[in-house]
Amino acid sequence: MNAPIRILPELTPENTPFWTGGERGELMIAHCDACDHAIHPPELICPVCLSRSVTPRAAAGTGVIHSYTVNYQPWLPNLQVPYALAVVDLDGEPGVRLTAQMQGIDPESVAIGQKVRVAFVQVEDVWIPEFHRIDG
């Protein structure tokens, strides 16, 4: 079976570190150098203090599922269903939630409060984050 068609993000100066950090196994989150506010989605200007000094930093890559949904609709050709999309509170990144597909787990087994770790799948020139449950 062919891989599903993916709609890929346009790479911009502010989001390129996020979408390419997976090449090194790093989940890159923008931070304000002036006030240390974590900024996601990434922006060039801090929304808190308006500083233009924003730098991407590698996050821990772990977190806890805040919410999730299980999709049963094949929206794109060759899309494998069902699959779970999780909204994850990232460890060490206060206020940052990342939405990504869960992998390596039965979608019906996903639950709020589960610990997860990021991994990446490369599609063309971007590395898409996905989450795997941390057992234990």
Side-chain angles (χ1 to χ4, degrees):
M1 178 179 293
N2 294 331
I5 295 170
R6 288 198 186 241
I7 299 170
L8 299 176
E10 177 183 350
L11 297 180
T12 64
E14 61 269 22
N15 74 20
T16 294
F18 176 81
W19 291 114
T20 60
E23 182 177 16
R24 299 176 310 282
E26 295 178 330
L27 180 61
M28 302 300 290
I29 301 296
H31 282 260
C32 176
D33 296 326
C35 72
D36 201 35
H37 178 72
I39 307 165
H40 189 77
E43 296 291 336
L44 295 174
I45 299 172
C46 176
V48 173
C49 73
L50 303 180
S51 171
R52 293 179 181 270
S53 182
V54 175
T55 306
R57 300 182 199 161
T62 58
V64 175
I65 295 176
H66 174 80
S67 184
Y68 70 95
T69 187
V70 178
N71 182 59
Y72 297 92
Q73 177 65 41
W75 299 105
L76 297 170
N78 303 319
L79 185 62
Q80 297 288 322
V81 291
Y83 64 88
L85 285 177
V87 178
V88 175
D89 288 317
L90 294 178
D91 292 338
E93 304 294 338
V96 175
R97 289 186 175 144
L98 186 62
T99 302
Q101 191 170 342
M102 292 293 298
Q103 295 293 338
I105 183 174
D106 175 0
E108 302 298 331
S109 298
V110 174
I112 292 172
Q114 286 176 333
K115 294 281 295 168
V116 294
R117 176 175 311 282
V118 74
F120 300 91
V121 59
Q122 182 184 359
V123 180
E124 297 181 20
D125 58 349
V126 301
W127 282 259
I128 299 171
E130 58 187 27
F131 286 104
H132 297 258
R133 184 175 65 191
I134 298 173
D135 294 319

